[in-house]
Amino acid sequence: MTSSSALFPSRKAVLWFIVSTVWLSCTLAVGAVASNTSEKLARVKDIASIEGIRDNQLVGYGIVVGLQGTGDSQQTTFPTQTLASTLLRMGVSVPAGAIRVQNLAAVFVAATLPPFARSGTKLDITVSSAGDARSLEGGLLLMTPLYGADGKIYAQAQGPLVVGGYAISINGNIKQMNHPNTARVPFGAIVERAVPLDIEGKSQFSLLLNDADFRSAEAVADAINSSLKRSAAHPLDSRRVILSVSPGEEVPAFLAEVESIEVPIYPRAKVIVNERTGTVVIGGRVVLQPVSILHGGLAVNVVSEFQVSQPGPFSDGKTKVVQQTNVDAFDKPVNRIELKQGATVDDLVRSLQTIGASARDVISILQAMKSAGALEAEIEVL
């Protein structure tokens, strides 16, 4: 007869089995969460666009009237010529040389014509001074035709200006806030001609990725096919994905469904450097290799002082100004930074802050690290 201890496991064995099972479940769950969080998702409409469905730029030249003496000066001749031409079209013949006004300004008008805009659609416009006007505050833009790249008129602009700043000049003292020479006119333009764009009946569209990448193009096509449950997309190159519309399927509904699909993205590792402002932006995917950085500097100061050489009394000498130049050179001590295996961007930033590196120093160090092969990322200089 067997003992009960052989048939039934002990309490320690049961407890160990339960703990092991819970630990394994938690490990698998954490691993699944980590794998999911490591993959970034974005909607198709945020990373790509449909070829042919695009904006169009419009520009025009006109005049702004109603300014309170802050318009173009008499040295700027083309505003008066424009005013003379405008008056001539209205039946008033005035020589351009006889016009003496400071309440008008010549401006350029810019607008963006969105896709599928039809006749009567209203657009926002931006008005900027083309002469030496001090401010456009209180001005009224007269009717201005807006031209496309083909030279045709697509919209007409007119309306009161909204200026987000001011400029006051009294007795040579100027007080200015923001940029009073640029203004906006909300819904200030009306579309007169539509850009022909018809998507009805088309069986294929090209999806253009914002950033060219073969892996992203393949991932976008796989996600679209998986969501639509049919082979509706296939990558053509690193930027284009061809979309096929089924016979009888509504094109707007098809494109809307495609644009709402979330797809994995694989952004490039980049370091953005702005030399003018000293701004450095380092992406989170940047990989650092073990490297030792020695950073120092040589500072040279040149100081010029002007002293007066005064001759002695009862002498024939003359008083002269003599320039004294002093040159000082300081060799700064070398600062050392060591990045070991597995170092992150945060470690690099903290180390650079520790040694007191300026933005210019950081730019030089990053470029040197890239040349040494310790920075696995693309450096883009703005």
Side-chain angles (χ1 to χ4, degrees):
M1 184 175 180
T2 59
S3 61
S4 60
S5 60
L7 294 176
F8 300 97
S10 62
R11 293 182 178 180
K12 292 183 178 180
V14 173
L15 182 60
W16 175 253
F17 175 76
I18 295 175
V19 172
S20 301
T21 305
V22 173
W23 177 82
L24 181 60
S25 301
C26 293
T27 303
L28 293 176
V30 171
V33 171
S35 63
N36 291 334
T37 55
S38 62
E39 189 179 69
K40 296 182 179 180
L41 298 177
R43 295 180 302 177
V44 172
K45 66 187 303 182
D46 297 327
I47 64 172
S49 60
I50 307 296
E51 184 178 8
I53 303 179
R54 43 159 286 183
D55 296 332
N56 290 276
Q57 307 258 336
L58 303 179
V59 67
Y61 170 80
I63 57 174
V64 171
V65 298
L67 304 178
Q68 193 173 358
T70 60
D72 293 330
S73 62
Q74 297 300 326
Q75 285 76 13
T76 309
T77 58
F78 52 89
T80 55
Q81 294 175 359
T82 305
L83 179 61
S85 300
T86 303
L87 293 176
L88 185 61
R89 290 197 301 268
M90 296 182 178
V92 180
S93 179
V94 180
I99 299 177
R100 293 289 184 271
V101 292
Q102 291 185 344
N103 295 335
L104 64 89
V107 294
F108 280 105
V109 184
T112 300
L113 184 66
F116 306 112
R118 296 297 178 182
S119 178
T121 304
K122 294 187 177 182
L123 310 175
D124 295 340
I125 60 174
T126 302
V127 181
S128 298
S129 174
D132 58 355
R134 298 195 305 272
S135 176
L136 298 179
E137 184 179 6
L140 172 68
L141 175 68
L142 297 184
M143 184 175 293
T144 302
L146 301 182
Y147 299 88
D150 55 359
K152 298 180 180 179
I153 298 176
Y154 285 89
Q156 294 282 350
Q158 180 173 284
L161 274 60
V162 178
V163 182
Y166 61 85
I168 302 175
S169 177
I170 299 177
N171 296 330
N173 298 321
I174 300 176
K175 176 66 175 178
Q176 179 175 327
M177 180 179 179
N178 295 336
H179 300 279
N181 290 337
T182 301
R184 296 270 297 175
V185 182
F187 302 109
I190 300 178
V191 176
E192 302 292 343
R193 182 200 303 267
V195 176
L197 180 60
D198 190 10
I199 63 174
E200 189 64 30
K202 293 189 64 174
S203 59
Q204 274 193 349
F205 292 90
S206 293
L207 193 65
L208 303 179
L209 300 182
N210 298 335
D211 296 324
D213 183 70
F214 285 102
R215 187 179 181 187
S216 297
E218 187 72 26
V220 168
D222 292 342
I224 293 175
N225 294 334
S226 177
S227 178
L228 299 180
K229 296 181 175 56
R230 63 182 179 87
S231 181
H234 70 275
L236 191 61
D237 50 37
S238 62
R239 187 177 293 273
R240 287 187 298 170
V241 177
I242 302 301
L243 303 177
S244 300
V245 184
S246 299
E249 187 175 9
E250 293 289 338
V251 175
F254 170 75
L255 295 179
E257 185 177 0
V258 168
E259 288 186 335
S260 63
I261 297 175
E262 290 189 344
V263 299
I265 58 175
Y266 307 96
R268 295 178 180 272
K270 275 189 176 183
V271 177
I272 309 300
V273 174
N274 193 328
E275 290 278 3
R276 296 184 297 273
T277 61
T279 304
V280 180
V281 179
I282 304 176
R285 289 182 174 267
V286 175
V287 178
L288 303 178
Q289 298 296 339
V291 65
S292 181
I293 303 171
L294 301 178
H295 177 68
L298 178 65
V300 179
N301 296 327
V302 180
V303 180
S304 297
E305 296 180 355
F306 293 91
Q307 300 178 357
V308 179
S309 177
Q310 185 71 27
F314 305 106
S315 64
D316 295 334
K318 297 181 180 179
T319 302
K320 291 185 177 181
V321 177
V322 180
Q323 180 179 355
Q324 299 290 338
T325 303
N326 297 324
V327 179
D328 295 329
F330 302 96
D331 196 0
K332 298 180 181 179
V334 174
N335 296 307
R336 183 172 183 269
I337 300 174
E338 184 177 356
L339 299 177
K340 299 181 179 180
Q341 185 69 34
T344 61
V345 175
D346 185 60
D347 298 333
L348 174 61
V349 173
R350 290 179 183 273
S351 300
L352 294 175
Q353 289 178 344
T354 302
I355 66 174
S358 64
R360 306 292 178 183
D361 296 335
V362 173
I363 293 174
S364 300
I365 291 173
L366 290 175
Q367 291 176 345
M369 291 178 62
K370 176 65 176 178
S371 300
L375 180 66
E376 297 183 3
E378 176 186 353
I379 296 182
E380 181 178 343
V381 181
L382 300 181

